[in-house]
Amino acid sequence: MTLLSKLTIALLAACASAISLPARAADSATPLVTVAQVDLARYAGAWYEIALLPNRFQKQCVADTQARYRLDGERVEVVNRCRKASGEVERTAGHAKTVEGSGNAKLRVTFFWPFYGNYWVLDLDPDYQQVLVGEPSRKFGWILSRTPHMDEAKLQALLDKAESLGYDRKAFQRTPQTQPLD
């Protein structure tokens, strides 16, 4: 068999396996859809991190990650806390501004001005008890709950939603909530 024949067979095999793979509902080229509206007064308060896509700015956090949001005039005050491996609690404070025309579902958050990141509300239950948050590149994502523990079925439903939006659901890691900070 010639080299050209081997390459042709390899290419056909690769194409056949790609065609047989299930198509993802969305990918990073597909625009990311948020919820239509977020009532920031209802959204304010404590949220416990249930799962996240690991990222460099949270690498020191090993457990008990929590976010607290408070309305402060035209912005939202943000305080993130987590437990480090040493047992110490790390605290980071910043603020967020809403993106005009987004129904408050898109925010721009900064912990180190003038650098801002996207914080988009992708799924929010009607009672404001669980939320899926992400951003357009799909490199960052969080599942948050008002309580330190979330019902497994609700967590799986939010992971399904993330996957339908083009996120890699297997990349999400659970956050231990062993000694909640509040």
Side-chain angles (χ1 to χ4, degrees):
M1 188 178 293
T2 68
L3 180 59
L4 182 58
S5 297
K6 289 179 183 177
L7 288 174
T8 302
I9 291 170
L11 181 60
L12 288 172
C15 289
S17 74
I19 291 169
S20 67
L21 291 174
R24 289 177 63 177
D27 61 29
S28 60
T30 305
L32 192 58
V33 178
T34 65
V35 298
Q37 182 75 36
V38 175
D39 178 344
L40 292 177
R42 288 184 69 197
Y43 196 86
W47 289 90
Y48 297 88
E49 183 182 273
I50 303 302
L52 81 156
L53 290 176
N55 59 69
R56 63 176 163 37
F57 51 88
Q58 283 185 270
K59 65 183 176 198
Q60 74 285 3
C61 298
V62 298
D64 306 321
T65 303
Q66 180 187 24
R68 184 172 293 280
Y69 306 106
R70 185 180 71 81
L71 294 179
D72 183 18
E74 299 252 333
R75 14 187 255 184
V76 178
E77 180 184 275
V78 180
V79 176
N80 290 339
R81 297 182 302 155
C82 70
R83 192 167 313 281
K84 296 173 18 175
S86 66
E88 290 178 77
V89 174
E90 175 151 315
R91 179 184 187 276
T92 305
H95 69 272
K97 302 184 293 186
T98 59
V99 173
E100 192 173 330
S102 71
N104 298 331
K106 295 179 182 179
L107 295 103
R108 301 280 294 151
V109 180
T110 183
F111 293 97
F112 184 69
W113 185 85
F115 304 101
Y116 282 84
N118 291 306
Y119 182 102
W120 290 14
V121 179
L122 307 176
D123 193 271
L124 177 63
D125 79 296
D127 296 325
Y128 284 64
Q129 297 301 301
Q130 293 92 29
V131 65
L132 171 64
V133 177
E135 51 74 52
S137 76
R138 295 166 177 85
K139 292 179 183 173
F140 303 101
W142 297 267
I143 294 175
L144 309 175
S145 173
R146 291 294 190 174
T147 60
H149 304 285
M150 182 186 286
D151 175 77
E152 186 64 25
K154 290 178 181 178
L155 174 59
Q156 292 304 317
L158 287 173
L159 289 169
D160 289 345
K161 176 68 176 196
E163 185 173 44
S164 77
L165 294 171
Y167 280 88
D168 178 1
R169 79 178 283 136
K170 292 178 184 169
F172 277 85
Q173 293 182 359
R174 295 191 189 209
T175 302
Q177 291 289 342
T178 58
Q179 297 176 317
L181 304 174
D182 283 340

